[in-house]
Amino acid sequence: GMSWSDDGWIYITDDVKVLRVRAQGGSLSVAVDADTARAELWRGWPHAIPGGRYVLFGVSRGSVEAAEVGIKDMETGESAILTPGLFPRYAPTGHLVFTRSDGTLMAAGLDLEGLRLTAEPAAVLGGIGVNSDETFAEMDLSEAGTLIFRSGQAAAQELVWVDREGNVDPVDPEFVGGFQGISLSPDGDRVTAAVTVQGTQSIYVKSLTGGPWRRVTFETGLTTRPAWVPGEDRVAYLSNRSQTGAAGQDVWITSSDGSGDAQNEVD
């Protein structure tokens, strides 16, 4: 995520926190950091409110259902969690606009000085596309209050083949979720992907010659970006299972059929 504030700061995110840099260049500084004491994985998707003093941000705590929306006063350094939800935006009417995990667009009055909502969020419309892997909604709000969005269902993707003529061939129409980090095996017979199913993201493997998707990781927390280990029947992936505060990630390796224990072979 990135947001260009009208006071000359550009806000960007790394894997854990929000950074900022002057538009004319310079060194990066931390603007919003994750609170590991709350088991936050990261804070990101910044949105600078006009005037430059306040920045909205999203909070990930392991699943799109547990996502939250926060705000920080860049003058005082104070911050607050406002509500469950994701992908916050500020409306010129003084409302916080965000999305629930099911794709419902919500709005509530926002007291900037008090860093709080002035009313319970109300539903505006449904059917906003939600990316459950990266915890964002496929919408944006202009400074004039115009909403643009892509309609869709949260985490309702399926894996397909597409040839050069644009013909689509589903891999398994019965298996849907939020797909991320798709990787074909060196022999082309199998595929692995990080898939979010019912709010839990895990690594799955499927034979392209038939059979169901097989779940091969079972830990809690974030597992993502699978890749085949060269010359071996194993899959490497990123996981935060061994990180204090769940803020960082290590490389883990597991068998392609899910048997045995995963090994933390690379730090």
Coordinates of all heavy atoms in Angstrom, one line a residue, residues 66-120:
A66 N -10.2 -11.3 11.3 CA -9.7 -10.7 12.5 C -9.1 -9.3 12.2 O -8.5 -8.7 13.1 CB -8.6 -11.6 13.2
A67 N -9.1 -8.8 11.0 CA -8.5 -7.6 10.6 C -9.2 -6.4 11.3 O -10.4 -6.4 11.7 CB -8.6 -7.4 9.1
E68 N -8.4 -5.3 11.5 CA -8.9 -4.1 12.2 C -8.4 -2.9 11.5 O -7.5 -2.9 10.6 CB -8.3 -4.1 13.7 CG -8.8 -5.2 14.5 CD -8.1 -5.3 15.9 OE1 -6.9 -5.1 15.9 OE2 -8.8 -5.5 16.9
V69 N -9.1 -1.8 11.8 CA -8.8 -0.5 11.3 C -8.3 0.4 12.4 O -8.9 0.5 13.5 CB -10.0 0.1 10.6 CG1 -9.8 1.6 10.3 CG2 -10.3 -0.7 9.3
G70 N -7.2 1.2 12.1 CA -6.6 2.0 13.1 C -6.3 3.4 12.6 O -6.4 3.7 11.4
I71 N -6.0 4.3 13.5 CA -5.6 5.7 13.1 C -4.5 6.2 14.0 O -4.3 5.8 15.1 CB -6.8 6.6 13.3 CG1 -6.5 8.0 12.7 CG2 -7.3 6.7 14.7 CD1 -7.8 8.9 12.6
K72 N -3.6 7.0 13.4 CA -2.5 7.6 14.1 C -2.4 9.1 13.9 O -2.6 9.6 12.8 CB -1.2 7.0 13.8 CG 0.0 7.6 14.6 CD 1.3 6.8 14.4 CE 2.4 7.3 15.3 NZ 3.6 6.5 15.2
D73 N -2.2 9.9 15.0 CA -2.0 11.3 15.0 C -0.5 11.5 14.8 O 0.3 11.2 15.8 CB -2.5 12.0 16.3 CG -2.4 13.5 16.3 OD1 -1.5 14.0 15.6 OD2 -3.2 14.1 17.0
M74 N 0.0 12.0 13.7 CA 1.4 12.1 13.4 C 2.0 13.2 14.2 O 3.2 13.3 14.3 CB 1.6 12.2 11.9 CG 1.2 11.0 11.1 SD 1.8 9.4 11.6 CE 3.6 9.7 11.4
E75 N 1.2 14.1 14.7 CA 1.8 15.2 15.5 C 2.1 14.8 16.9 O 3.1 15.1 17.5 CB 0.8 16.4 15.5 CG 0.8 17.2 14.2 CD 0.0 18.5 14.3 OE1 -0.4 18.9 15.4 OE2 -0.2 19.1 13.2
T76 N 1.1 14.1 17.5 CA 1.3 13.7 18.9 C 1.9 12.3 19.1 O 2.3 11.9 20.2 CB -0.1 13.7 19.6 OG1 -0.9 12.7 19.1 CG2 -0.8 15.1 19.5
G77 N 1.8 11.5 18.0 CA 2.3 10.1 18.1 C 1.2 9.1 18.7 O 1.5 7.9 18.7
E78 N 0.1 9.6 19.1 CA -1.0 8.8 19.6 C -1.7 8.0 18.5 O -1.8 8.5 17.4 CB -2.0 9.6 20.3 CG -1.5 10.3 21.6 CD -2.7 11.0 22.3 OE1 -3.6 10.3 22.7 OE2 -2.6 12.2 22.5
S79 N -2.1 6.7 18.8 CA -2.8 5.9 17.8 C -3.9 5.2 18.5 O -3.9 5.1 19.8 CB -1.9 4.9 17.1 OG -1.3 4.0 18.0
A80 N -4.9 4.7 17.8 CA -6.0 3.9 18.3 C -6.5 3.0 17.3 O -6.5 3.2 16.1 CB -7.1 4.9 18.8
I81 N -7.0 1.8 17.8 CA -7.8 0.9 17.0 C -9.2 1.3 17.0 O -9.8 1.5 18.0 CB -7.7 -0.5 17.5 CG1 -6.2 -1.0 17.5 CG2 -8.5 -1.5 16.6 CD1 -5.5 -0.9 16.2
L82 N -9.8 1.5 15.8 CA -11.1 2.1 15.7 C -12.2 1.1 15.6 O -13.3 1.2 16.3 CB -11.2 3.0 14.4 CG -10.3 4.2 14.4 CD1 -10.4 4.9 13.0 CD2 -10.7 5.2 15.5
T83 N -12.0 0.0 14.8 CA -13.1 -1.0 14.6 C -12.6 -2.2 13.9 O -11.5 -2.1 13.2 CB -14.2 -0.3 13.8 OG1 -15.2 -1.3 13.5 CG2 -13.7 0.1 12.4
P84 N -13.2 -3.4 14.0 CA -12.9 -4.5 13.2 C -13.2 -4.1 11.7 O -14.2 -3.4 11.5 CB -13.8 -5.6 13.7 CG -14.2 -5.2 15.1 CD -14.2 -3.7 15.1
G85 N -12.4 -4.5 10.8 CA -12.6 -4.2 9.4 C -11.3 -4.1 8.6 O -10.2 -4.4 9.2
L86 N -11.3 -3.7 7.4 CA -10.1 -3.6 6.6 C -10.2 -2.5 5.6 O -11.3 -2.0 5.3 CB -9.9 -4.9 5.9 CG -11.0 -5.5 5.0 CD1 -10.4 -5.9 3.6 CD2 -11.6 -6.7 5.7
F87 N -9.1 -2.1 5.1 CA -8.9 -1.1 4.0 C -9.6 0.2 4.3 O -10.6 0.6 3.6 CB -9.3 -1.7 2.7 CG -8.6 -1.2 1.5 CD1 -7.2 -1.4 1.4 CD2 -9.2 -0.4 0.5 CE1 -6.5 -0.9 0.3 CE2 -8.5 0.1 -0.5 CZ -7.1 -0.2 -0.7
P88 N -9.2 1.0 5.3 CA -9.9 2.2 5.6 C -9.6 3.4 4.6 O -8.6 3.5 4.1 CB -9.3 2.6 7.0 CG -7.9 2.0 6.9 CD -8.0 0.8 6.2
R89 N -10.7 4.2 4.5 CA -10.6 5.4 3.7 C -11.4 6.5 4.4 O -12.3 6.2 5.2 CB -11.2 5.1 2.3 CG -10.4 4.2 1.4 CD -9.0 4.9 1.1 NE -8.2 4.2 0.1 CZ -7.2 3.3 0.5 NH1 -7.0 3.1 1.8 NH2 -6.5 2.8 -0.4
Y90 N -11.0 7.7 4.1 CA -11.7 8.9 4.7 C -12.6 9.6 3.7 O -12.1 10.0 2.6 CB -10.6 9.8 5.3 CG -11.2 11.0 6.0 CD1 -11.7 10.9 7.3 CD2 -11.2 12.3 5.5 CE1 -12.2 11.9 8.0 CE2 -11.7 13.4 6.2 CZ -12.2 13.2 7.5 OH -12.8 14.2 8.2
A91 N -13.8 9.8 4.1 CA -14.8 10.5 3.2 C -14.8 12.0 3.5 O -14.6 12.4 4.7 CB -16.2 9.9 3.4
P92 N -15.0 12.9 2.5 CA -15.0 14.3 2.8 C -16.2 14.7 3.7 O -16.2 15.9 4.2 CB -15.2 14.9 1.4 CG -15.7 13.8 0.5 CD -15.2 12.6 1.1
T93 N -17.1 13.9 4.0 CA -18.2 14.1 4.9 C -17.8 14.0 6.3 O -18.6 14.2 7.3 CB -19.4 13.2 4.6 OG1 -18.9 11.9 4.6 CG2 -20.0 13.5 3.2
G94 N -16.5 13.5 6.6 CA -16.0 13.3 7.9 C -16.3 11.9 8.4 O -16.2 11.6 9.6
H95 N -16.5 10.9 7.5 CA -16.8 9.5 7.8 C -15.6 8.7 7.5 O -14.8 8.9 6.6 CB -18.0 9.0 7.0 CG -19.3 9.6 7.5 ND1 -19.7 10.8 7.0 CD2 -20.3 9.1 8.3 CE1 -20.9 11.1 7.6 NE2 -21.3 10.0 8.3
L96 N -15.4 7.7 8.4 CA -14.5 6.5 8.1 C -15.3 5.6 7.2 O -16.4 5.2 7.5 CB -14.1 5.8 9.4 CG -13.3 4.5 9.2 CD1 -11.9 4.8 8.6 CD2 -13.3 3.7 10.5
V97 N -14.7 5.2 6.1 CA -15.3 4.2 5.2 C -14.3 3.0 5.2 O -13.1 3.1 4.9 CB -15.5 4.8 3.8 CG1 -16.1 3.7 2.9 CG2 -16.4 5.9 3.9
F98 N -14.9 1.8 5.3 CA -14.0 0.6 5.3 C -14.9 -0.6 4.9 O -16.1 -0.5 4.6 CB -13.4 0.3 6.7 CG -14.4 0.1 7.8 CD1 -14.8 -1.2 8.2 CD2 -15.1 1.1 8.4 CE1 -15.7 -1.5 9.2 CE2 -16.0 0.9 9.4 CZ -16.3 -0.4 9.8
T99 N -14.3 -1.8 4.8 CA -15.0 -3.0 4.4 C -14.9 -4.1 5.4 O -13.9 -4.2 6.1 CB -14.4 -3.5 3.0 OG1 -14.3 -2.4 2.1 CG2 -15.2 -4.6 2.5
R100 N -16.0 -4.8 5.6 CA -15.9 -6.0 6.4 C -15.4 -7.2 5.6 O -15.3 -7.1 4.4 CB -17.3 -6.4 6.9 CG -17.9 -5.4 7.9 CD -19.2 -5.9 8.6 NE -20.1 -6.7 7.7 CZ -21.3 -6.8 7.9 NH1 -21.9 -6.2 9.0 NH2 -22.1 -7.6 7.1
S101 N -15.0 -8.2 6.3 CA -14.4 -9.4 5.6 C -15.4 -10.0 4.6 O -14.9 -10.7 3.7 CB -14.0 -10.4 6.6 OG -15.1 -10.9 7.4
D102 N -16.7 -9.8 4.7 CA -17.6 -10.4 3.8 C -17.9 -9.5 2.6 O -18.8 -9.8 1.8 CB -18.9 -10.8 4.5 CG -19.7 -9.6 5.1 OD1 -19.2 -8.4 4.9 OD2 -20.7 -9.7 5.6
G103 N -17.2 -8.4 2.5 CA -17.3 -7.5 1.4 C -18.4 -6.4 1.5 O -18.7 -5.7 0.6
T104 N -18.9 -6.2 2.7 CA -19.9 -5.2 3.0 C -19.1 -3.9 3.3 O -18.3 -3.8 4.1 CB -20.8 -5.5 4.2 OG1 -21.4 -6.7 4.0 CG2 -21.8 -4.4 4.5
L105 N -19.5 -2.8 2.5 CA -18.9 -1.5 2.8 C -19.6 -0.8 3.9 O -20.8 -0.8 4.0 CB -19.1 -0.6 1.5 CG -18.3 0.7 1.5 CD1 -16.8 0.4 1.3 CD2 -18.8 1.6 0.4
M106 N -18.8 -0.3 4.9 CA -19.3 0.3 6.1 C -18.9 1.7 6.2 O -17.9 2.1 5.6 CB -18.8 -0.5 7.3 CG -19.0 -2.0 7.3 SD -20.7 -2.5 7.4 CE -21.1 -2.0 9.1
A107 N -19.6 2.5 7.0 CA -19.3 3.9 7.2 C -19.7 4.3 8.6 O -20.7 3.8 9.2 CB -20.0 4.8 6.2
A108 N -18.9 5.2 9.2 CA -19.2 5.7 10.6 C -18.5 7.1 10.7 O -17.5 7.4 10.1 CB -18.7 4.8 11.7
G109 N -19.2 8.0 11.5 CA -18.6 9.3 11.8 C -17.3 9.1 12.5 O -17.1 8.2 13.3
L110 N -16.3 10.0 12.2 CA -14.9 9.9 12.8 C -14.6 11.2 13.5 O -14.5 12.2 12.8 CB -13.9 9.5 11.7 CG -12.5 9.4 12.1 CD1 -12.3 8.3 13.2 CD2 -11.6 9.1 10.9
D111 N -14.3 11.1 14.8 CA -13.8 12.2 15.6 C -12.2 12.1 15.5 O -11.6 11.3 16.2 CB -14.3 12.1 17.0 CG -13.7 13.1 17.9 OD1 -13.0 14.0 17.4 OD2 -13.9 13.1 19.1
L112 N -11.6 13.0 14.7 CA -10.2 13.0 14.5 C -9.4 13.3 15.8 O -8.5 12.6 16.1 CB -9.8 13.9 13.3 CG -10.3 13.5 11.9 CD1 -9.9 14.6 10.9 CD2 -9.7 12.1 11.5
E113 N -9.8 14.4 16.4 CA -9.1 14.8 17.6 C -9.2 13.7 18.7 O -8.3 13.5 19.5 CB -9.6 16.1 18.1 CG -9.2 17.3 17.2 CD -9.5 18.6 17.8 OE1 -10.1 18.7 18.9 OE2 -9.3 19.7 17.1
G114 N -10.4 13.1 18.8 CA -10.5 12.1 19.9 C -10.1 10.7 19.4 O -10.1 9.8 20.3
L115 N -9.7 10.5 18.2 CA -9.3 9.2 17.6 C -10.3 8.1 18.0 O -10.0 7.1 18.4 CB -7.9 8.8 18.2 CG -6.7 9.8 18.0 CD1 -5.4 9.2 18.6 CD2 -6.6 10.1 16.5
R116 N -11.6 8.4 17.6 CA -12.6 7.5 17.9 C -13.8 7.7 16.9 O -13.9 8.7 16.2 CB -13.2 7.7 19.3 CG -13.8 9.0 19.5 CD -14.3 9.2 21.0 NE -15.0 10.5 21.1 CZ -16.3 10.6 20.9 NH1 -17.0 9.6 20.5 NH2 -16.9 11.8 21.0
L117 N -14.6 6.6 16.8 CA -15.8 6.7 16.0 C -16.9 7.4 16.8 O -17.0 7.3 18.0 CB -16.3 5.4 15.6 CG -15.3 4.5 14.7 CD1 -16.0 3.2 14.3 CD2 -14.9 5.3 13.5
T118 N -17.8 8.2 16.2 CA -18.8 8.9 16.8 C -20.2 8.1 16.8 O -21.1 8.5 17.4 CB -19.1 10.3 16.2 OG1 -19.4 10.1 14.8 CG2 -17.8 11.1 16.3
A119 N -20.2 7.0 16.1 CA -21.4 6.2 16.0 C -21.0 4.8 15.6 O -19.9 4.5 15.1 CB -22.4 6.8 15.0
E120 N -21.9 3.8 15.8 CA -21.7 2.5 15.3 C -21.7 2.5 13.8 O -22.5 3.1 13.1 CB -22.8 1.5 15.8 CG -22.7 1.2 17.3 CD -21.5 0.4 17.6 OE1 -21.2 -0.6 16.8 OE2 -20.8 0.7 18.6

